[in-house]
Amino acid sequence: MTEVLEGLQQIADLGGPVVMILLAVSVITLATILYKLWQFFAVGVGRHRALKEAIAAWDRGDRGTAASALRQSRSYLAPVIEMAFSAAPEDATRLEAEAEIRFARLEGGFRLLDSVAQLAPLLGLFGTVLGMIDAFQSLQEAGSQVDPSLLAGGIWVALLTTAAGLAVAMPTAMVLSWFEGRMDAERVT
């Protein structure tokens, strides 16, 4: 545990508070991604074989096979399809709303991931600006005794926050895109 705290202290000393904020955001983001993966797996996103068989049987007019296949389905959409089998045509809006309620539960957390993907690079850039201000203040204080290594050291430390922001944002954007693609496929189903 001491090693972890020492590592965090080194990161804070090197990158400043912005890197620490990005580190905290990355932990929250990772937790959200892992939760969403578990949730998608638990409800069976993408696993609708029995449900599709039930719908195909219903479309053929084979109500018994449709009902049997629907009972075998473990899909979170099975209750919606069951309602559709017994619904009147004017109930279509209600059925869409029932499906959207289920989709909305699965899409919870997407806004957080989207915000992280958009704001992490800006937060990193903010850290870079703060680092550059600090580097130029150090140059000003050095007066006529300017050492180029003083500026170079300040710049690379400042750019570290931009790299950290991008390192958080890029995988988050990629995973969010995958989640959204899965949900688009669910809507098509």
Side-chain angles (χ1 to χ4, degrees), residues 157-177:
V157 169
L159 290 175
L160 180 68
T161 60
T162 298
L166 291 172
V168 171
M170 290 185 295
T172 302
M174 187 175 74
V175 170
L176 176 60
S177 179

Side-chain angles (χ1 to χ4, degrees), residues 4-16:
V4 171
L5 292 176
E6 287 175 4
L8 288 175
Q9 185 61 44
Q10 287 177 343
I11 291 171
D13 291 343
L14 192 58

Side-chain angles (χ1 to χ4, degrees), residues 6-183:
E6 287 175 4
L8 288 175
Q9 185 61 44
Q10 287 177 343
I11 291 171
D13 291 343
L14 192 58
V18 172
V19 171
M20 293 305 292
I21 292 169
L22 284 167
L23 185 62
V25 166
S26 70
V27 169
I28 293 167
T29 301
L30 180 61
T32 303
I33 289 169
L34 292 175
Y35 172 73
K36 296 310 296 177
L37 288 171
W38 171 82
Q39 184 184 31
F40 275 35
F41 178 77
V43 300
V45 169
R47 295 183 308 217
H48 303 295
R49 185 182 50 79
L51 190 69
K52 289 178 182 178
E53 288 174 8
I55 294 169
W58 184 269
D59 288 344
R60 288 191 311 268
D62 187 357
R63 306 298 191 236
T65 303
S68 175
L70 190 59
R71 281 191 299 274
Q72 293 175 359
S73 175
R74 299 201 190 312
S75 172
Y76 68 99
L77 293 173
V80 176
I81 299 303
E82 186 175 11
M83 285 188 284
F85 285 173
S86 60
E90 59 270 8
D91 294 334
T93 304
R94 170 119 195 281
L95 292 170
E96 284 181 31
E98 288 291 332
E100 282 301 321
I101 288 169
R102 286 159 176 80
F103 296 147
R105 284 185 203 133
L106 290 173
E107 291 173 336
F110 283 13
R111 191 165 297 211
L112 170 71
L113 296 177
D114 185 46
S115 295
V116 169
Q118 291 182 31
L119 294 178
L122 295 175
L123 190 56
L125 186 58
F126 178 64
T128 296
V129 170
L130 292 177
M132 294 298 290
I133 290 170
D134 190 44
F136 284 118
Q137 283 177 338
S138 296
L139 277 177
Q140 182 183 10
E141 290 169 6
S144 62
Q145 307 294 328
V146 174
D147 180 8
S149 66
L150 183 68
L151 181 60
I155 291 173
W156 83 262
V157 169
L159 290 175
L160 180 68
T161 60
T162 298
L166 291 172
V168 171
M170 290 185 295
T172 302
M174 187 175 74
V175 170
L176 176 60
S177 179
W178 183 81
F179 281 144
E180 289 174 337
R182 295 300 306 156
M183 289 310 301

